[in-house]
Amino acid sequence: QESESFYDAVGGAETFERLVERFYEGVAEDPLLLPLYPEPDLTGAKERLRLFLIQYWGGPGTYSQTRGHPRLRMRHAPFVIGEAERDAWLRHMRDAVDSLGLAADQRDRLWKYLEYAAQSLVNS
Ligand code: HEM
């Protein structure tokens, strides 16, 4: 029998909803990141990130059912992502991760992944 997914262990959909909401509160006020977003309304972007993270961590596969293969590097190619953009993204994400109140080992696992993923999307 497979062990519980990380998605379930950290509280399921509600936890990812809180994570992404908090993260986008930061993005919405960030003069470096906000102009990168093609649509002024961040609702769609929020949903895509939330569904992607849910799928990545073992929850429902709604992201790929609606968006196809993630191909994150390709999907970020239209945006200039240098070290400053990466750092700003990670700063808001750190704030969001810390706001969840997870156990330290879960928080660290989530954070390590986000750091690694953000670095992998630097393209400039
Ligand atoms: C989409 C910026 C890192 C996951 C986007 C979009 C922008 C953006 C501007 C378009 C918004 C939209 O969906 O309409 C950035 C910047 C990053 C970064 C500046 C800094 C390194 C990440 C990381 C992840 C991620 C680390 C995953 C862990 C996604 C996903 C989408 C997205 C899933 C939607 C893709 C789609 O289905 O079209 N990002 N991103 N991003 N980003 Fe990022």
Side-chain angles (χ1 to χ4, degrees), residues 4-99:
E4 188 186 41
S5 66
F6 184 79
Y7 167 80
D8 285 323
V10 298
E14 193 213 318
T15 297
F16 290 90
E17 169 91 44
R18 284 164 56 213
L19 176 71
V20 168
E21 278 298 321
R22 178 66 175 251
F23 170 72
Y24 270 105
E25 281 175 22
V27 171
E29 306 204 326
D30 191 304
L32 186 63
L33 295 183
L34 189 58
L36 297 178
Y37 286 79
E39 300 166 25
D41 180 355
L42 296 172
T43 312
K46 254 185 221 178
E47 177 169 271
R48 289 184 279 277
L49 180 59
R50 179 172 56 82
L51 292 176
F52 170 79
L53 291 172
I54 284 174
Q55 173 173 299
Y56 178 85
W57 290 107
T62 316
Y63 177 85
S64 281
Q65 283 158 22
T66 54
R67 302 291 291 164
H69 189 285
R71 299 184 200 284
L72 286 190
R73 193 139 165 107
M74 185 195 78
R75 291 194 206 262
H76 287 78
F79 317 118
V80 174
I81 304 180
E83 288 178 13
E85 288 79 9
R86 174 202 64 196
D87 289 349
W89 194 99
L90 283 171
R91 187 154 32 77
H92 301 304
M93 199 46 102
R94 181 73 219 194
D95 181 53
V97 168
D98 286 347
S99 79

